[in-house]
Amino acid sequence: MSQISLTFPDGNKREYARGVTAAEVAAGISTSLAKKAISATVNGAHYDLQWPIHADASIAIHTLADDAQALELIRHDAAHIMARAVQEIWPDVKVTIGPVRDYGWFYDFDRAEPFTPEDLGQIEAKMKQIINARDPVRTEVWDRARAIKFYEDKNEPFKVELINRIPEGEDLRMYWHGNWQDFCRGPHLQHTGQVPADAFKLTHVAGAYWLGDASRPMLQRIYGLAFKNRDDLKAHMTMLEEAAKRDHRKLGREMDLFHIQDEAPGMVFWHPNGWTVYRQLEDYMRGRQKAAGYKEIKTPQVVDRVLWEKSGHWEAYRENMFIVEVDEEGAKEKRINALKPMNCPCHVQVYNQGLKSYRDLPLRLAEFGSCHRYESSGSMHGLMRVRGFTQDDAHIFCTEDQIESECAAFIALLSSVYKDLGFDKFDIKLSTRPDVRIGSDETWDKVEGALKGAIENLGLPYQINPGDGAFYGPKLDFKLTDAIGREWQCGTFQVDPNLPNRLDAEYVGEDGAKHRPYMLHRAILGSFERFIGILIENYAGKLPFWLAPRQVVVASIVSDADPFVHEITNALIKAGVRAEADTRNEKINYKVREHSVGKVPVILAVGMKEVEERTVSVRRLGDTRTETMTLDQALAEFGFAALPPAGH
């Protein structure tokens, strides 16, 4: 057939010659669309305007008004333009890869001399020249031999290696930005002038091993940001400046919360202040889960590989597990165990103890489970990405008919917890069945419908991620938004009929026969370590009073007030407040500044006037004003404020 049919978003269909490009399609619709077009979506895939379309398909033409596609292309083209600029300034530099990432891109270079901040300025200037030249972007498909010879002749060994890693038979696509060529999947814009010259910024340089392998050459990675306009770039730069002030690693030092050291990479040393925050959060979550009908359990950290093999984790997750070999007395071979990277197989073992009836379901088992997963040294980041962590983990064993009600109850609990912790806004994403999956379409229809029903009955908006579910069931992801607009994925809800089947979990149904329960994996905080990092940054260290590790400091103005200072401190402690006395021979302003840096919410200053009147002078963190309270008023207010939220 020489003709193909293309279906547009409005449902209209048109016939075109086989091999037509999206650019030609746009031109056939209108001259203005042809000028504005930047790319297309063809059968769900992002398509370059220059790529031929060989079969019937759905199609949508994109312009710069389409944020997702426009930003992807702007950032991808900016990466190529930066690489071209580098090689025009330093022709001996070798190029490697330059993928798009959140808000921008990076590109790895092999260069003998380190890039300097001045070099970044020079590269930016050259990039603007290339953008202003409006050089055309074109693409061709080459065969493997031609591509390898081209890069061997240019002495680009990294590109040769990349080509050799691509399976035989796959197309090798080349792109030119002006006369500069790169090997790339695409898509790209149509000329360099479509990248806004005033909306990008090179931010920093870091080291990166080639292909993430520590045994391979160390390269230099230049990071960049790019947006559709200057205002968006400026807003993002302002957000980054604010984020730097809120960095939990910096505030963690100032507040004396935790540290991480080389002898235990990715493992947290909690200091008394930090452990206080941790325990307060844990106690709060324990109370909320108990009230919601969860039963708390505790399972081993070191588990024989046999269980991980049965669960499927040994095959799928082995490279991320910490292995423990044990010389058992009298055994010919060492026993191979692993530190658990997740809690779910152990929870099934608890479920399997004793016969279960349908009357026992739903059974909600919760654990503050300590887990360990290997993370590369380059990927770890303070509390946000660690090797040792504790999850607020729980698994609900239930029937298929109970999935919707359990999902609704979980979302309501999650929403209440987030609100208590200061996060009023969160987004829900529903990931649906992938192409490769187990189970019948009828079962998937029912389970996906249960999750949709739970969300919709609560009146909450949600997005669908088609095909992004696990092979055994759909899932929900919950992203909360912090005080400076950043999104953090924390909560999850995953439907799993697979693990109960692998580990022989059963219950006796109303019909007297044995059935497999569904297992619902769920977490609200995710990991305590990461969530505490998020809390610190969200509040810029000024944690809610009930969570603050040091809630009140009672500071003497003169030494004659010391006895009353200790009386107040002891009374506050008796009222449930984490209070301490500061009777050092220092000026009161010095004490206030020091404790303010430590993010103490309340400082009570006590001098002879306060002693005589049995009052306190109250200074609240972030407020330059002071107020006077009687001791009884202070005990009542701060004793109540120290209580954790009861839920809403």
Side-chain angles (χ1 to χ4, degrees):
M1 292 176 62
S2 59
Q3 295 288 107
I4 61 171
S5 176
L6 298 183
T7 304
F8 292 86
D10 62 3
N12 286 332
K13 294 184 178 182
R14 293 190 185 184
E15 300 292 318
Y16 292 92
R18 183 182 302 279
V20 68
T21 66
E24 291 167 339
V25 172
I29 295 172
S30 73
T31 303
S32 63
L33 181 61
K35 291 179 179 179
K36 294 177 181 178
I38 57 170
S39 66
T41 293
V42 178
N43 281 347
H46 199 189
Y47 248 56
D48 194 295
L49 290 179
Q50 301 178 53
W51 295 352
I53 304 169
H54 295 291
D56 294 350
S58 61
I59 186 171
I61 305 296
H62 300 300
T63 69
L64 286 172
D66 297 310
D67 282 353
Q69 292 79 14
L71 287 170
E72 178 189 338
L73 295 180
I74 287 169
R75 290 161 181 166
H76 198 172
D77 281 66
H80 281 233
I81 291 169
M82 182 181 76
R84 172 182 162 182
V86 167
Q87 288 200 312
E88 286 187 3
I89 300 169
W90 301 283
D92 59 327
V93 172
K94 293 176 174 55
V95 293
T96 61
I97 54 174
V100 173
R101 59 193 295 271
D102 288 345
Y103 308 112
W105 77 91
F106 67 76
Y107 208 112
D108 291 346
F109 299 96
D110 183 27
R111 184 190 183 211
E113 297 296 321
F115 289 109
T116 66
E118 291 75 23
D119 290 337
L120 296 189
Q122 190 177 357
I123 297 167
E124 282 187 356
K126 175 62 75 172
M127 289 176 67
K128 289 178 180 178
Q129 290 178 14
I130 295 169
I131 290 169
N132 292 332
R134 299 173 66 86
D135 287 336
V137 177
R138 61 187 181 89
T139 182
E140 293 179 4
V141 175
W142 283 10
D143 62 51
R144 184 179 299 269
R146 182 183 179 189
I148 289 175
K149 184 177 187 307
F150 175 82
Y151 282 114
E152 285 178 342
D153 290 347
K154 288 192 67 177
N155 191 25
E156 293 282 10
F158 299 100
K159 293 294 184 183
V160 173
E161 182 176 344
L162 284 175
I163 292 169
N164 285 326
R165 286 173 169 268
I166 293 176
E168 291 284 347
E170 283 196 20
D171 289 344
L172 302 179
R173 185 167 288 281
M174 298 294 171
Y175 270 92
W176 286 262
H177 284 69
N179 293 322
W180 185 85
Q181 182 179 354
D182 201 1
F183 163 55
C184 178
R185 291 190 182 95
H188 280 283
L189 295 167
Q190 300 310 292
H191 61 81
T192 59
Q194 289 179 306
V195 175
D198 60 352
F200 75 89
K201 176 72 177 173
L202 304 187
T203 58
H204 63 288
V205 182
Y209 291 112
W210 171 233
L211 300 177
D213 185 342
S215 66
R216 306 299 302 278
M218 173 65 79
L219 306 173
Q220 296 187 68
R221 176 172 293 176
I222 299 180
Y223 288 89
L225 299 169
F227 293 86
K228 287 172 59 176
N229 56 65
R230 181 174 56 188
D231 289 343
D232 288 349
L233 173 64
K234 185 177 179 181
H236 187 76
M237 295 300 293
T238 300
M239 186 276 288
L240 290 180
E241 292 171 6
E242 182 61 29
K245 297 175 187 175
R246 294 167 178 257
D247 190 319
H248 73 282
R249 296 166 299 178
K250 169 180 171 289
L251 292 171
R253 288 189 298 272
E254 293 175 358
M255 297 170 69
D256 193 20
L257 301 179
F258 69 92
H259 81 274
I260 297 172
Q261 63 188 59
D262 291 343
E263 288 78 4
M267 312 286 185
V268 182
F269 289 80
W270 289 105
H271 299 188
N273 287 342
W275 191 240
T276 297
V277 177
Y278 187 108
R279 290 298 301 273
Q280 289 298 308
L281 188 60
E282 182 183 64
D283 289 347
Y284 164 75
M285 288 302 301
R286 177 174 286 115
R288 294 305 309 272
Q289 292 185 156
K290 183 178 180 181
Y294 289 83
K295 297 179 179 180
E296 188 174 337
I297 61 174
K298 192 70 177 174
T299 61
Q301 290 190 48
V302 180
V303 181
D304 194 292
R305 67 178 286 180
V306 171
L307 180 60
W308 303 115
E309 288 172 340
K310 287 180 180 177
S311 70
H313 290 100
W314 189 263
E315 179 181 358
Y317 213 75
R318 163 68 183 83
E319 63 183 15
N320 299 104
M321 298 168 76
F322 286 96
I323 305 305
V324 181
E325 295 185 350
V326 179
D327 284 316
E328 296 282 7
E329 187 176 350
K332 293 181 180 179
E333 296 181 353
K334 290 183 178 181
R335 184 172 184 174
I336 299 177
N337 304 275
L339 288 174
K340 64 178 179 182
M342 63 276 297
N343 302 298
C344 26
C346 292
H347 285 204
V348 181
Q349 306 314 300
V350 174
Y351 174 90
N352 283 347
Q353 300 304 300
L355 188 65
K356 297 294 185 299
S357 160
Y358 70 94
R359 295 186 182 90
D360 298 315
L361 306 182
L363 177 60
R364 308 178 189 98
L365 300 179
E367 177 178 13
F368 299 120
S370 180
C371 299
H372 294 80
R373 298 177 188 173
Y374 175 76
E375 300 281 357
S376 65
S377 58
S379 68
M380 291 186 291
H381 178 75
L383 298 177
M384 300 303 194
R385 193 155 188 178
V386 291
R387 290 177 176 172
F389 56 94
T390 300
Q391 295 176 308
D392 68 315
D393 208 3
H395 296 91
I396 302 168
F397 297 87
C398 66
T399 66
E400 188 176 85
D401 291 339
Q402 293 169 334
I403 293 174
E404 182 171 340
S405 59
E406 287 301 306
C407 181
F410 169 73
I411 296 173
L413 175 61
L414 173 142
S415 178
S416 175
V417 167
Y418 284 175
K419 187 173 182 180
D420 281 350
L421 295 173
F423 301 99
D424 292 325
K425 183 180 183 297
F426 63 89
D427 296 321
I428 305 174
K429 293 190 177 179
L430 167 60
S431 297
T432 58
R433 70 195 74 181
D435 292 335
V436 179
R437 57 184 182 271
I438 61 173
S440 67
D441 285 343
E442 181 183 2
T443 298
W444 276 90
D445 288 343
K446 189 167 184 179
V447 174
E448 289 176 352
L451 300 193
K452 289 179 183 177
I455 303 168
E456 291 170 359
N457 288 337
L458 291 169
L460 297 172
Y462 65 98
Q463 294 177 319
I464 293 180
N465 282 348
D468 205 35
F471 72 92
Y472 49 78
K475 66 173 181 174
L476 300 178
D477 291 319
F478 300 84
K479 286 189 175 182
L480 55 82
T481 302
D482 70 10
I484 57 174
R486 297 173 300 180
E487 289 187 336
W488 303 92
Q489 185 191 321
C490 298
T492 58
F493 186 91
Q494 171 79 61
V495 180
D496 184 3
N498 182 55
L499 196 60
N501 188 54
R502 293 187 70 117
L503 298 179
D504 296 322
E506 297 176 333
Y507 70 92
V508 178
E510 287 187 79
D511 58 0
K514 290 184 177 180
H515 303 270
R516 298 288 188 204
Y518 275 83
M519 186 176 186
L520 309 179
H521 308 254
R522 48 110 295 178
I524 295 175
L525 306 183
S527 85
F528 277 86
E529 288 74 10
R530 181 169 175 267
F531 202 88
I532 289 172
I534 294 169
L535 282 170
I536 293 168
E537 296 196 0
N538 180 66
Y539 286 105
K542 301 172 185 177
L543 294 170
F545 191 86
W546 70 275
L547 263 181
R550 303 164 64 214
Q551 293 172 325
V552 177
V553 169
V554 188
S556 59
I557 298 174
V558 294
S559 59
D560 287 346
D562 288 356
F564 190 42
V565 166
H566 290 295
E567 179 186 340
I568 297 168
T569 303
N570 292 333
L572 286 166
I573 292 171
K574 189 174 180 180
V577 179
R578 290 184 289 280
E580 57 192 69
D582 185 349
T583 56
R584 295 174 298 164
N585 186 24
E586 300 285 356
K587 291 183 177 180
I588 188 63
N589 287 340
Y590 175 87
K591 295 178 182 180
V592 169
R593 282 196 302 272
E594 182 180 272
H595 297 308
S596 295
V597 170
K599 302 297 186 287
V600 177
V602 174
I603 300 170
L604 303 182
V606 179
M608 293 312 297
K609 180 176 182 290
E610 287 76 19
V611 171
E612 293 167 4
E613 298 176 354
R614 293 191 64 78
T615 59
V616 291
S617 180
V618 182
R619 304 189 184 205
R620 301 179 192 271
L621 185 61
D623 192 344
T624 57
R625 298 169 299 175
T626 61
E627 59 181 303
T628 300
M629 284 186 182
T630 66
L631 177 54
D632 288 341
Q633 287 174 327
L635 293 173
E637 176 176 331
F638 301 127
F640 180 77
L643 297 173
H648 300 279

